[in-house]
Amino acid sequence: MPGPAFSPCATSNSPEPLKARMGQLSYKLYCGFGLCLLLLWICCRQLETPTTDRETISTDTSDHWQLTQQLRQEQLSTACKKRGLWKSDSQLVPKQVARQLLVERNHRLLFCEVPKAGCSNWRRVLLLLALNLSRWDPAEVAMDRLHTTSLLQRLNSFQPRECDLMLKHYTPVLVTRHPLERLVSAYRDKLLHSEPYYMHVADKIRTAVRGSRAPKNQRNLTFPEFVTFILRQPPADLDVHWKPIALLCSPCSVRYGVLIWHENMSSEAEQALRFLGIPSPGLFPSAKVHQSEKRTDDQLTRHYLGQLSPEQLSGLYNLYFLDFTLFGYHIQNP
């Protein structure tokens, strides 16, 4: 009797366990893949969190910086307009002001050079930017070459049309300092050291204040004598190291896009560079010419101001009235 015909469906049920095993394997692979995705997501979140914090801190700092700039510019424009000094056309600047404006063409900057307000260090920065060497250490730029280099041009060296275009399209930068602290710094730095030119200036001051028989001892020039001398001079004729910033930089005519306080230089310099599109941490140096001496701060300034008479203090306030008013400084501080 012939056996039953062969039929695949009639054979043993062995394919069922195979399907079950394949299903279990697929399930395990699916679970493993899901676990990997979960671990990857956790790792990404851990990596992203510090970056988010840094971005938040950076954003907060940037917002604070821009608010500070807005307040300073409002203070400046309001004070200028109140005294009828505001010029609607920023292209009209006196020649002596154009001479104070350093031009950095790579980043389209105009920097008003204010002696005794960190200008030597800013010169170092501008020189490196002009040479596209922002990764170099500015402190390596020699001081004796810093003020003689032809690589940094002044605005008055350009043709009038170029000057007008630069004033219109470049970003002017101004660093201010408390007028009396700047004055004390200038006295200490220029008249208490043996710089040949300022030894002559010291002799001239002594002769003017004491008479022709004054002993020629530079260090013997007192701060009250120095103040007496400058209060007798026309403000426009003063040495640039103690001439009011309002006369040096014409802030009611030039639209300064960045206003920096020298008192906060350590933090504001880097913020200013970042704002100007120059994110170079550590680019701004902290070099000081006479390294052995203490920097002129509010405490030292009060010490020197304590040597002055009320009439001299009143005279200084009148001399630097616009600097106090335009830039938001107070006679009581330092």
Side-chain angles (χ1 to χ4, degrees):
M1 181 177 178
F6 178 78
S7 170
C9 294
T11 58
S12 70
N13 57 0
S14 58
E16 293 298 332
L18 178 61
K19 183 184 291 186
R21 286 196 298 272
M22 291 182 67
Q24 291 175 358
L25 180 61
S26 298
Y27 177 75
K28 290 179 179 179
L29 288 173
Y30 178 80
C31 291
F33 181 70
L35 181 60
C36 289
L37 287 177
L38 177 62
L39 292 174
L40 182 62
W41 181 81
I42 293 173
C43 290
C44 288
R45 289 293 296 174
Q46 290 176 339
L47 290 173
E48 288 175 358
T49 300
T51 304
T52 302
D53 290 344
R54 286 195 297 270
E55 289 175 352
T56 301
I57 293 172
S58 177
T59 302
D60 290 345
T61 303
S62 176
D63 290 345
H64 181 267
W65 163 258
Q66 293 186 30
L67 176 60
T68 300
Q69 289 301 300
Q70 180 181 343
L71 292 174
R72 288 177 185 172
Q73 289 168 6
E74 288 177 356
Q75 164 86 24
L76 175 60
S77 63
T78 300
C80 288
K81 291 173 182 177
K82 184 177 180 179
R83 286 156 186 81
L85 301 173
W86 187 255
K87 301 292 190 300
S88 58
D89 189 352
S90 63
Q91 298 177 12
L92 302 175
V93 296
K95 291 182 179 180
Q96 64 270 25
V97 174
R99 187 186 179 282
Q100 292 300 118
L101 289 167
L102 297 173
V103 179
E104 201 288 289
R105 306 187 81 165
N106 290 336
H107 297 85
R108 302 167 71 89
L109 302 179
L110 297 176
F111 180 84
C112 190
E113 192 172 36
V114 178
K116 306 317 302 171
C119 71
S120 293
N121 285 337
W122 277 103
R123 264 183 162 268
R124 288 184 168 93
V125 172
L126 294 173
L127 181 59
L128 293 184
L129 292 178
L131 297 172
N132 287 315
L133 298 175
S134 60
R135 294 184 180 276
W136 284 37
D137 183 0
E140 295 180 4
V141 181
M143 177 64 75
D144 58 343
R145 306 217 171 211
L146 189 60
H147 294 277
T148 58
T149 179
S150 61
L151 295 173
L152 287 178
Q153 295 178 281
R154 298 181 181 275
L155 187 64
N156 68 335
S157 66
F158 294 88
Q159 294 298 317
R161 176 168 173 75
E162 287 184 285
C163 292
D164 292 345
L165 290 173
M166 288 177 179
L167 285 166
K168 184 176 181 180
H169 297 291
Y170 282 27
T171 302
V173 179
L174 175 62
V175 180
T176 65
R177 188 175 187 178
H178 190 286
L180 301 185
E181 183 176 293
R182 178 171 168 253
L183 179 67
V184 171
S185 178
Y187 167 75
R188 295 180 68 224
D189 185 51
K190 297 301 176 185
L191 299 176
L192 298 184
H193 297 94
S194 300
E195 290 187 37
Y197 173 74
Y198 282 96
M199 288 177 68
H200 170 71
V201 172
D203 288 341
K204 177 182 176 182
I205 294 175
R206 270 191 300 273
T207 300
V209 175
R210 300 180 184 176
S212 58
R213 296 184 178 181
K216 295 184 178 182
N217 179 357
Q218 185 189 22
R219 289 187 175 274
N220 199 31
L221 178 67
T222 68
F223 184 65
E225 289 173 331
F226 169 61
V227 171
T228 296
F229 174 79
I230 66 171
L231 291 179
R232 291 177 180 175
Q233 310 305 306
D237 295 340
L238 292 174
D239 183 284
V240 293
H241 290 84
W242 43 86
K243 181 180 287 188
I245 297 175
L247 294 178
L248 286 174
C249 300
S250 192
C252 293
S253 299
V254 179
R255 299 293 177 266
Y256 288 99
V258 175
L259 295 169
I260 302 170
W261 274 22
H262 180 273
E263 291 79 3
N264 305 330
M265 187 75 81
S266 59
S267 61
E268 291 197 23
E270 187 171 329
Q271 291 175 326
L273 291 171
R274 189 184 303 116
F275 174 79
L276 294 167
I278 311 169
S280 301
L283 178 61
F284 190 82
S286 59
K288 185 176 184 295
V289 176
H290 304 290
Q291 296 288 349
S292 61
E293 289 186 351
K294 180 181 178 182
R295 289 180 181 273
T296 301
D297 55 13
D298 55 350
Q299 183 178 1
L300 260 176
T301 301
R302 285 193 294 269
H303 167 73
Y304 280 95
L305 295 180
Q307 303 172 19
L308 302 179
S309 68
E311 291 75 19
Q312 287 177 311
L313 287 172
S314 177
L316 289 178
Y317 181 72
N318 291 330
L319 174 62
Y320 294 107
F321 174 76
L322 281 180
D323 284 6
F324 281 109
T325 307
L326 301 181
F327 308 125
Y329 290 106
H330 300 283
I331 188 68
Q332 294 84 359
N333 298 315

